[in-house]
Amino acid sequence: MPTTVAINGRFLGRQATGVDRFAHEVVRCIDQLVAEQDPATSGLSFELLVPPAVSVDAQQFPHMQVRQVGRHVGRGGGQLWEQISLPLAARGALLLNLCNAAPLLYPHQVTVMHDAAPVRVPQAYSRAFRSWYGVMAPWVGRVARRVLTVSEFSRRELATAYRIPGRKIGVLPMSGDHMLRLPESEDVRHKFGLSDRPYVLAVSSASYHKNFRLVADAIRMLGKVDYDVVIVGGGGRVFQAVRDDQITESHDADGRVRRLGYVDDADLKALFRGAGCFVFPSLYEGYGLPPVEAMTLGCPVLASSLPSVREACGAAVLYFPPTRPRELGALLTHVMQDSALREKLREQGLARVRPYSWRATAARLLGEISPWLPQR
């Protein structure tokens, strides 16, 4: 009889973030490995457990069972479902949590924690969220069989912030190769009313630590430039988001900074393809998936000089201090005016991401959880 691995599918019921992207791609690739009868999946069956309000297309993960469990519990039901319904449904199985949160009272689990942002940048999160993570993350770190994360930087952060023993934490590679698979919108400039001028692209949520204002301030200090800045992304309920007026007060009269809000994957891919460069000004990251996505699509990258981002991007991007708008502005103009430099960055980025894939991430994860499964 196959050994069951239960997967926490709560992420399928919300608008995707980078953490949710990780979960979706890992589950998709595990499903593919099952279909191919990869030796890593021998003797295993995978069951995706989702809240009752979440509907999953049977063709999305055709080689694993999808089961709705628990009851509709209304507002705040996500956490209640995760703490009560999920562990009850997973009884007897190894439970795999891919998006930071996990049940407190289910020790037979492996949990992926992406970073220690609620501790390191508390002003970016609501008080309730910070309080919950201050309890949940250290507790799960102690009781779980294994904790996984996405960079060596985050492994150190989890060990320090949540006192999780470093030997208990494994590191998984990440990838941007999902961007190659996605459809691409046509005429994205017309759809969003963008001008014909070149543009710089920034992508992330409007959370404080994503530091969007740095880009707008950099453009304001430069005065007149011959390119626009397009900012994509929405805020989340748990985030203390940057207010619209905090961004727009840095705009100039020509409206060179455009905020598009949340866009779908096809639009995002087209915006990456059309950008002169991508800028990533974050103050804190566990990994930094957006610059990896940009490099995967051949978009030159300028990124905040953070240890985690340097770990992900290496020498393939240009770095800037995330608190100095004048330096960022000068770097933006230099890159936007130098086509040879942009081409060099494009080639370096493509070379940097080539060895990585979500399939490799999924295979590595299966290797990480294998010690906690019965001998097959």
Side-chain angles (χ1 to χ4, degrees), residues 244-264:
D244 287 343
D245 61 347
Q246 291 177 309
I247 294 290
T248 56
E249 68 183 19
S250 298
H251 288 192
D252 67 329
D254 296 330
R256 287 170 294 172
V257 180
R258 294 289 312 279
R259 288 193 63 194
L260 304 188
Y262 181 83
V263 303
D264 64 23

Side-chain angles (χ1 to χ4, degrees), residues 265-285:
D265 288 340
D267 289 337
L268 178 58
K269 183 174 182 176
L271 288 166
F272 270 130
R273 294 276 201 201
C277 68
F278 171 72
V279 60
F280 191 64
S282 186
L283 294 169
Y284 182 88
E285 293 293 331

Side-chain angles (χ1 to χ4, degrees), residues 14-127:
R14 59 195 180 212
Q15 195 176 74
T17 63
V19 169
D20 298 326
R21 172 69 70 186
F22 171 92
H24 186 279
E25 293 301 324
V26 165
V27 173
R28 184 184 64 83
C29 287
I30 289 175
D31 188 82
Q32 289 182 349
L33 292 171
V34 172
E36 296 164 10
Q37 298 182 333
D38 187 277
T41 66
S42 176
L44 300 178
S45 66
F46 295 88
E47 185 176 47
L48 192 58
L49 304 178
V50 300
V54 175
S55 178
V56 181
D57 187 337
Q59 297 305 309
Q60 194 171 7
F61 309 109
H63 301 96
M64 59 178 67
Q65 181 182 358
V66 179
R67 181 159 62 100
Q68 291 178 319
V69 299
R71 299 180 179 179
H72 294 268
V73 288
R75 185 175 176 81
Q79 288 185 14
L80 290 175
W81 178 86
E82 203 161 49
Q83 295 303 315
I84 299 172
S85 301
L86 176 64
L88 287 174
R91 275 184 302 188
L94 179 67
L95 177 61
L96 179 59
N97 307 284
L98 298 169
C99 297
N100 294 317
L104 298 175
L105 302 178
Y106 195 87
H108 194 46
Q109 63 178 308
V110 173
T111 298
V112 181
M113 296 185 185
H114 291 250
D115 56 43
V119 173
R120 298 307 190 207
V121 281
Q123 60 270 54
Y125 297 87
S126 68
R127 181 179 298 177

